[in-house]
Amino acid sequence: KLLYIDINSLSKGLQSNTNRMAQFQEVMRQQLESSMYAELEKLVSTAKGAEAEVSKKDFEGFRKLFHRFLQVKGPSVEWSKINRPPEDSIQPYDKIKAKGLPDNIADSLNKLVVVKLNGGLGTSMGCKGPKSLISVRNENTFLDLTVQQIEHLNKTYNADVPLVLMNSFNTDEDTKKILQKYRHHRVKIHTFNQSRYPRINKESLLPVAKDMAMTGENADVWYPPGHGDIYASFYNSGLLEQLIAEGKEYIFVSNIDNLGATVDLYILNHLVSQPNGKRCEFIMEVTDKTRADVKGGTLIQYDGKLRLLEIAQVPKAHVDEFKSVTKFKIFNTNNLWISLSAIKRLQEQNAMDMEIIANPKTLDGGLNVIQLETAVGAAIKCFENALGINVPRSRFLPVKTTSDLLLVMSNLYSLEAGCLTMSERREFPSTPHVKLGSSFTKVQEYLTRFESIPDMLELDHLTVSGDVTFGKHVSLKGTVIIIANHGDRIDIPAGSMLENKIVSGNLRILDH
């Protein structure tokens, strides 16, 4: 007997199955969304007065994000459509600098606002409270150095550059207390708060929070949703409108823990000197990738637009290619120059489109949750005439760990008017590679292990592991590796000079 199959019928059957599946998924999505919205309504109903108004605005943004999160399937880029950016879309810094500076620098500066992302806590370095309040150099905190830099600009050029801090609910109260001490400095300081979003239970896809409280069992159910939230929260705060009314045109945005992110007059001049029709609405400072920067976002050309590509968006099969230093040569420093009027326009047109980062976390009790976040640089594709500028590495000096802290506290850098510059006595411009072990992770413990910060002018590489302490006036040169095995302790004697040395075993210096 012949088995006869009607291909048309089979094809129609498969098609109808696919349609049914799509319909089923759509119904599920709608149910999830309406359940989420009902929960958000319940949460807002537990807020009082002004908090209720703020929460309503926050949740509007969260709803949009959640809606898009349910729509998105898989990585948000098609690898085959990725192209290298056109030559003129990433300019070398030297070309920008060659244009020189105008006679009246104050005119340019008076159009500028400096915005620092100040939402982070110092927990990764074992500190409580805002990271910006950690002492990094001569007892100056990140915030002190920022204020000193801007005050120096305002005094030198008789300008009025304000400082704006984007705080989170974690940092707002402590930061505002500290701001009292800058009252007599020549810097106007404003703050606004990032949104507060509910963490989502990974299984039910509903908020973990039961009410709007932030203490007790609700202590870890909220989160600030990444720095991509700057556009909405800045706009919602009313501060954006106020600054435009004062004649401000651009913001310079950077992480408060990037000590290289100072106001650059050449980039500012490039921005304000563009003819009106060609006004550049967004500049991203990028710098050359080293093997230490393999995870940093990079610029690509995609659908005819300049776009930020983050590691989270890369299909698994292409992650190694993304990390290669040969294909993607630059990475985003998160130093950004953005037009205020363009932010206002995009917010009002609801046209700010940033890829969603679904960040999985596990709470202390073991509950798996998801945080929906966005990155500020991801909005580059929404702005007109966006540009990358390949800046020197010195403009990227983040302090994320105590290893970074050791570099900025050392004689590799000199400090003037809040700015750190590489010492002229160092013969090569790159910073040494420093890896401090787990005994140095927390700032307090790190500080007890150094009687004074070693001389590191001629250091290339330092690895320290285990229970190690340094006496006063130690000098480190070339490659130095110090390893105290478990149960051993190594005290590097005061005045020691270690050059291309490996030290291991046990070395105790006893006071007599």
Side-chain angles (χ1 to χ4, degrees):
K1 285 182 182 176
L2 286 173
L3 183 62
Y4 172 71
I5 296 175
D6 181 345
I7 295 294
N8 280 339
S9 304
L10 186 64
S11 157
K12 280 179 188 163
L14 289 171
Q15 187 61 46
S16 71
N17 277 347
T18 308
N19 289 343
R20 274 203 294 272
M21 192 63 191
Q23 282 170 339
F24 173 70
Q25 284 174 334
E26 184 53 36
V27 169
M28 285 296 292
R29 255 206 306 268
Q30 286 172 2
Q31 280 180 352
L32 280 168
E33 265 192 77
S34 57
S35 302
M36 172 61 83
Y37 296 170
E39 288 297 314
L40 295 177
E41 290 293 321
K42 277 189 213 163
L43 286 172
V44 170
S45 70
T46 69
K48 307 253 185 331
E51 189 196 22
E53 286 309 303
V54 172
S55 301
K56 268 182 195 162
K57 275 189 178 170
D58 284 357
F59 286 177
E60 266 173 47
F62 179 77
R63 279 169 64 157
K64 284 179 196 165
L65 214 53
F66 187 70
H67 174 79
R68 283 175 45 221
F69 166 68
L70 293 178
Q71 304 283 345
V72 173
K73 286 282 166 280
S76 56
V77 291
E78 283 180 50
W79 198 254
S80 57
K81 286 168 67 178
I82 287 176
N83 293 303
R84 280 193 179 171
E87 283 299 305
D88 61 346
S89 67
I90 299 180
Q91 299 269 344
Y93 177 74
D94 289 344
K95 189 176 171 186
I96 302 292
K97 195 173 179 180
K99 289 172 70 174
L101 292 173
D103 293 336
N104 196 340
I105 290 169
D107 280 359
S108 303
L109 282 170
N110 286 336
K111 293 174 181 170
L112 184 70
V113 177
V114 173
V115 179
K116 291 287 181 183
L117 304 172
N118 184 46
L121 294 167
T123 42
S124 62
M125 292 164 79
C127 296
K128 287 188 167 71
K131 186 174 182 182
S132 55
L133 307 184
I134 295 174
S135 287
V136 280
R137 180 84 189 213
N138 306 355
E139 297 190 0
N140 287 301
T141 65
F142 290 105
L143 190 53
D144 292 334
L145 296 177
T146 301
V147 171
Q148 286 166 28
Q149 287 163 23
I150 301 175
E151 183 174 45
H152 178 69
L153 269 182
N154 286 340
K155 284 180 173 172
T156 306
Y157 298 104
N158 192 22
D160 177 25
V161 178
L163 169 64
V164 172
L165 299 171
M166 177 165 92
N167 298 337
S168 67
F169 60 84
N170 290 319
T171 62
D172 188 52
E173 204 176 315
D174 289 342
T175 301
K176 280 182 174 163
K177 282 179 193 160
I178 293 292
L179 291 182
Q180 300 298 319
K181 77 183 226 190
Y182 307 116
R183 269 193 313 211
H184 303 296
H185 288 62
R186 191 171 160 176
V187 185
K188 285 183 192 142
I189 304 179
H190 306 276
T191 65
F192 70 94
N193 261 16
Q194 243 176 308
S195 305
R196 167 162 70 119
Y197 283 1
R199 284 179 164 148
I200 305 168
N201 182 317
K202 194 180 172 189
E203 298 307 315
S204 66
L205 290 185
L206 292 173
V208 183
K210 295 290 175 273
D211 56 49
M212 295 302 294
M214 290 199 292
T215 51
E217 59 181 23
N218 259 7
D220 56 0
V221 298
W222 303 101
Y223 71 99
H227 39 57
D229 182 57
I230 184 172
Y231 305 109
S233 50
F234 195 13
Y235 179 83
N236 288 340
S237 72
L239 190 54
L240 179 89
E241 199 78 65
Q242 181 190 323
L243 292 166
I244 291 174
E246 288 172 14
K248 306 300 179 191
E249 293 180 18
Y250 288 95
I251 51 173
F252 171 49
V253 183
S254 62
N255 297 342
I256 200 153
D257 63 8
N258 178 5
L259 294 177
T262 56
V263 170
D264 186 282
L265 297 174
Y266 296 100
I267 296 178
L268 176 61
N269 180 48
H270 178 78
L271 271 174
V272 297
S273 63
Q274 297 293 305
N276 268 349
K278 289 273 184 163
R279 272 290 166 101
C280 177
E281 293 184 341
F282 194 108
I283 283 178
M284 176 181 286
E285 292 185 36
V286 296
T287 194
D288 292 341
K289 222 181 198 185
T290 67
R291 302 216 175 271
D293 313 307
V294 292
K295 290 182 178 174
T298 193
L299 282 179
I300 55 170
Q301 183 84 350
Y302 194 88
D303 288 343
K305 284 273 200 179
L306 208 53
R307 181 160 165 177
L308 179 66
L309 177 67
E310 299 271 12
I311 195 163
Q313 295 157 247
V314 178
K316 281 199 169 54
H318 297 281
V319 166
D320 287 343
E321 199 180 333
F322 174 81
K323 288 181 175 180
S324 90
V325 184
T326 44
K327 180 161 182 178
F328 300 106
K329 292 179 162 50
I330 49 120
F331 74 97
N332 166 28
T333 62
N334 222 35
N335 300 348
L336 307 167
W337 304 74
I338 313 171
S339 155
L340 283 165
S341 58
I343 296 174
K344 181 173 187 272
R345 181 189 77 235
L346 290 166
Q347 276 302 125
E348 288 174 351
Q349 292 172 354
N350 196 19
M352 202 67 84
D353 173 28
M354 290 167 282
E355 286 73 35
I356 294 171
I357 303 159
N359 195 351
K361 297 262 179 189
T362 304
L363 301 186
D364 286 348
L367 182 69
N368 290 324
V369 296
I370 300 169
Q371 293 182 182
L372 300 181
E373 301 175 9
T374 53
V376 57
I380 187 169
K381 61 177 188 237
C382 309
F383 290 85
E384 298 298 318
N385 302 317
L387 181 69
I389 297 182
N390 192 342
V391 296
R393 182 75 186 199
S394 57
R395 291 192 57 73
F396 185 65
L397 190 59
V399 180
K400 301 289 182 197
T401 62
T402 51
S403 302
D404 300 329
L405 195 54
L406 182 62
L407 290 173
V408 300
M409 290 176 97
S410 75
N411 61 346
L412 286 163
Y413 292 95
S414 53
L415 177 66
E416 196 177 336
C419 297
L420 289 179
T421 45
M422 180 75 78
S423 168
E424 288 172 3
R425 288 161 51 218
R426 182 163 174 85
E427 287 181 11
F428 23 88
S430 61
T431 49
H433 195 63
V434 173
K435 287 194 326 204
L436 299 178
S438 56
S439 309
F440 291 79
T441 305
K442 294 184 174 174
V443 174
Q444 290 319 110
E445 195 174 354
Y446 152 90
L447 291 171
T448 63
R449 292 183 175 277
F450 292 97
E451 280 196 54
S452 69
I453 302 296
D455 168 357
M456 290 163 52
L457 278 175
E458 295 176 48
L459 181 70
D460 298 324
H461 180 109
L462 172 68
T463 294
V464 184
S465 175
D467 187 359
V468 178
T469 63
F470 292 79
K472 281 189 174 165
H473 311 305
V474 171
S475 178
L476 305 171
K477 300 182 181 187
T479 296
V480 178
I481 298 170
I482 304 168
I483 296 172
N485 294 322
H486 186 68
D488 290 346
R489 175 168 152 188
I490 295 176
D491 297 331
I492 303 296
S496 302
M497 198 275 278
L498 301 178
E499 183 169 8
N500 296 326
K501 285 275 190 295
I502 296 178
V503 181
S504 64
N506 210 357
L507 175 65
R508 298 293 303 272
I509 309 293
L510 298 172
D511 291 332
H512 294 293

